[in-house]
Amino acid sequence: MDWGVIAEVLSGETLPAMVVDLDAFDRNVARHVAVCAAKAKPIRVATKSLRVRALIDRVKEKCGASFGGLMCFSVREACFLAQNGHDDLLVAYPTLAPGDLLALARLGADGKRMIVTVDSEESVRAAANAAEASGAKLRVVVCVDTSLSLFGAHLGVRRSPLARPEDVLRVARLARDTGHLTVVGLLAYEALVAGVADQKASARAKSAVLRMLKSRSIDDVRARRLAMSSALRDDGFDVSLVNGGGTGSLESTAEDASVTEVSCGSGFLLPHLFDEYASPLVRSLEPAEVFAVEVTRRPGPGFVTCAGGGYIASGEAGADRLPVVVHPAGLSLLALEGAGEVQTPLAGAGADACVLGSVALLRPAKAGEPMERFAEVLLFSDGKIIGREKTYRGEGACFG
Ligand SMILES: Cc1ncc(COP(=O)(O)O)c(C=O)c1O
């Protein structure tokens, strides 16, 4: 992304504004496709990392034969996308909300391929009740725990409790025995491998340890995916879907023979949390998303202050969740204020040359979340803004 050109073409636009560089975006999609197509793994697009229908449609088109459906973050989002023409929607996080599940089950009964995630007796019962009320069977995947257990420590996320083949089998059998659910496979997202930066210039020793742990986790997850899918098959289940991966683990996930499809989304936009990964794919990606705020005040020499800008990412709350300034050069956030709800001060050598009313550009830490702060994205290509598209919010849709 040429930050200077983007800042220039934004003069006259209403700020704050979110910008997506379509040329960089398309190149990023092509790089994902190259990795996944080489291993014959379709890409299930993680829609939470885009939250703009036009971008989801664009990935689908650019992926071509490598497109393998959508991974949604809520049932209501999946229904919204199904009603807007999409099919093959996997909701990757369990819910027990009867109304939401019934709406989804009805879309399934009407012929859409809708899949929900279960990992407990309660989530199985909730899905089964909705399926029964819809009059058709509902597809489910069993979400499994891929965390690495090392010297008694749990390394990974706290999601599914199902860590052993027998745990998975128990929940899958429960689902089958309801008579209303069809178990189609497993959701096995390796968060430890995909979601942790492992080549940080500011933490070389820690990064080396992380790379070691990741490599151990890759072997561990591979063995467990195989054991879990074999246990299901041996019990008569048709395991046609084994989902894994995220942007940060794409190469190793695609290489896993048990995996039938990989999920990813963030890498198409490359927010800055992915700047310090060892993965060759991630290192080959380009930033394709930036937001612009207006420089409105000069509190003193060496400082300027912008309107808005406080789009902080979720997760373990640390400085890495803040956006980073990429234009003008030589400016950064203040440790004492960070990025604020209404104002974001910037400091540094570039401040005094900064004109009030000009544009500052910041890259967000995560790809999809900041889309919730904007009604539209400006589409940048070939040195100019060529269009604008509504975000979910811009369409009046809000799924949390
Ligand atoms: C279940 C699941 N799969 C995949 C992903 C990866 O998405 P991304 O490529 O946007 O990092 C996530 C991210 O949180 C996830 O929760």
Side-chain angles (χ1 to χ4, degrees), residues 32 44-50 71-73 90-93 117 143 157 159 187-191 194-195 243-250 262-268 271 274 277 366-368:
H32 284 73
R44 187 176 288 278
V45 177
T47 53
K48 76 172 179 68
S49 303
L50 294 171
M71 171 177 276
C72 300
F73 68 97
L90 163 62
V91 183
Y93 315 92
T117 295
C143 180
V157 291
R159 295 190 184 180
L187 171 58
Y189 169 56
E190 57 272 64
N243 181 289
T247 295
S249 74
L250 219 62
V262 294
S263 281
C264 53
S266 299
F268 305 138
F274 286 92
Y277 270 66
K366 283 186 156 190

Side-chain angles (χ1 to χ4, degrees), residues 115-131:
I115 309 162
V116 293
T117 295
V118 293
D119 66 1
S120 63
E121 182 173 348
E122 292 87 337
S123 54
V124 165
R125 298 267 167 248
N129 288 342

Side-chain angles (χ1 to χ4, degrees), residues 188-259:
Y189 169 56
E190 57 272 64
L192 174 64
V193 184
V196 184
D198 56 356
Q199 193 147 299
K200 286 198 165 185
S202 61
R204 288 185 196 283
K206 189 176 165 201
S207 294
V209 174
L210 272 169
R211 288 197 296 278
M212 221 173 59
L213 289 174
K214 278 192 181 189
S215 136
R216 196 136 171 195
S217 180
I218 288 168
D219 294 343
D220 179 60
V221 173
R222 191 165 296 174
R224 280 156 66 193
R225 280 200 194 106
L226 179 61
M228 288 168 172
S229 42
S230 304
L232 287 182
R233 279 200 187 93
D234 292 349
D235 206 57
F237 289 97
D238 175 18
V239 187
S240 56
L241 190 163
V242 178
N243 181 289
T247 295
S249 74
L250 219 62
E251 289 117 327
S252 60
T253 312
E255 268 176 14
D256 185 336
S258 304
V259 166

